[in-house]
Amino acid sequence: MRSSTAVCRCGESSARVHGRYVRRLRDVAVGGVGVVIELWVRRFRCDNAGCPAVTFAEQIAGVTTPHSRYTPLLRGTLTQIGLALAGRAGARLAASIGITAGRDTLLRMVRSVPEPDVGEVEVLGVDDFAFRKGRHYGTLLIDMATHRPLHLYDGREGEDLADWLRGHPEVKVICRDRSSGYGEGARVGAPQARQVADRYHLWANLGQAVEKSVNAHRSGLAEPAPDDAGEPLEAEPAVVQSPKELKIVTRLRDQHAAAHELWEQGMSKAAIGRELGLHQATIRKLVNARSADDVVAKSLQRAHVVDPYVGYLHRRWNEGVENAAQLHREIQQLGYPGGELAVQRHLRRYRSGRGHAPASGPKPPSVREATSWIMTHPEHLREADADKLHRLRERDAELDRLTGHVRKFAAMMTGRHGDRLEDWISDAEQDTLAPLASFARNLRRDLDAVRNGLMLPYSSGAVEGNVNRLKMLKRQMFGRASLDLLRKRVLLAR
């Protein structure tokens, strides 16, 4: 039954009907067909002399809202589509279920949703993300208890974090990476809170130091050639000439010699780069290398598609099979994924001699492979890799000590033995492994947070997960991801 009165937005009830009109409202689709509701609506005159609205239209609860052409149900549906898929993708999904809505309409609905209340936060997670990598960054704050995003703002300065923390004195723990800006902001804005350095970043930083240390020893990663044993081979029809040095290897040797000559003359690295026409990072690599072999080793260790089948090719060549097409067919049956041209190029190095191929020795491990052996728990290493690491440690005393340092740090991190941190840092600083010593000195700059990270159960894993989710949302709106729209989607899309 229709009421004889209606309530104005000022709160005054009125029974004076000013006029009537037809109002059309779009509703959710039924069976894939759009629905339009037509209502015969009355307009009332407000009796409150102080009300700025002289007349007002009656509203039907659950069906109409002021100035809206959508029912609350349809508006809620489109808002959720916009939060989940943004503009273009959301418009396509809406059209597939019988709702016509433009991408701008969906984005306006997302912007109109109020942001949720932050509430009480005791454990806070902080991390940065890139609007444009290397140029423009923002900061994301997470409630570590619920894994819910709390705030997103432009920049990653410590003062911005301090301003937010001053409004939330209930924060007791702050999980962060090892950024000095966030550390200072947390100290100034929440001096009562304990700062926790994330274990993931600690392990990642240690891995970078290990890789640099292994890289300095990469020329010694190859195992020594085994001594010839057994009876000598019968006379061979010809001896294969030694393969010519690769052009890239020759070029690297020349560049290394030229860079060191200019460095010894007192020129700066920037000046050497200008003189040789090379990037400053390349000059830094050449000057820091103790010998040309250290620079060349990385190029020689590059994996090739033929590498796993070199032993078979050499054996078949020595048996007299020199047809590249036939050898290609044979290794294809063994799982070779490449083409015939790669096989031809491999055989070219000893084809001119028409003799026996040289015995194929084991390919030296790459720097990344050796680093992964050192950084992997011994119980999780494959037997073959554990054996290779064991022989590598026997050959190189520094890599042996490096492995020991890494395993002590891993035991300290997984066992939550932060009380051992000082001793570990002292041992690493006294070692001759420069990258590891640098990593240890860096830990002293943030010692309390690092120790808390090794002792307390808190971790920034939830923060990293939310940053990954944020990247997905940002890429959905590439070109339209303004900060206010991105914040709404990050805070509201769950």
Side-chain angles (χ1 to χ4, degrees), residues 341-476:
L341 182 59
V343 179
Q344 292 177 358
R345 287 175 175 169
H346 176 76
L347 299 177
R348 191 180 300 162
R349 66 189 64 185
Y350 45 81
R351 183 175 290 281
S352 58
R354 291 291 176 181
H356 282 223
S360 58
K363 188 177 181 66
S366 66
V367 172
R368 287 287 178 88
E369 287 177 325
T371 302
S372 69
W373 299 340
I374 295 174
M375 298 292 293
T376 302
H377 193 287
E379 295 181 0
H380 300 159
L381 269 176
R382 293 184 302 178
E383 186 176 346
D385 292 340
D387 186 53
K388 292 176 183 177
L389 177 60
H390 177 71
R391 294 198 299 270
L392 182 62
R393 296 181 67 179
E394 287 182 338
R395 294 196 306 271
D396 195 312
E398 288 195 339
L399 293 184
D400 180 49
R401 295 199 308 275
L402 176 66
T403 305
H405 287 305
V406 170
R407 291 184 174 176
K408 287 180 181 177
F409 192 91
M412 180 172 55
M413 186 172 68
T414 55
R416 306 286 171 81
H417 300 300
D419 55 310
R420 305 177 187 174
L421 181 61
E422 280 279 5
D423 294 337
W424 188 91
I425 292 176
S426 299
D427 292 342
E429 286 177 330
Q430 295 171 8
D431 208 314
T432 57
L433 297 163
L436 189 69
S438 177
F439 167 75
R441 286 192 297 271
N442 248 339
L443 295 182
R444 288 195 183 279
R445 294 167 49 190
D446 203 15
L447 188 61
D448 290 338
V450 173
R451 185 185 291 110
N452 289 337
L454 296 177
M455 296 180 67
L456 299 179
Y458 304 108
S459 173
S460 296
V463 185
E464 297 297 333
N466 273 279
V467 169
N468 285 338
R469 174 174 159 271
L470 184 151
K471 292 177 182 177
M472 181 271 292
L473 297 175
K474 182 189 71 172
R475 288 163 184 160
Q476 277 185 340

Side-chain angles (χ1 to χ4, degrees), residues 300-314:
L300 295 179
Q301 290 173 6
R302 288 175 179 168
H304 193 275
V305 68
V306 181
D307 288 345
Y309 309 94
V310 166
Y312 180 85
L313 291 175
H314 285 196

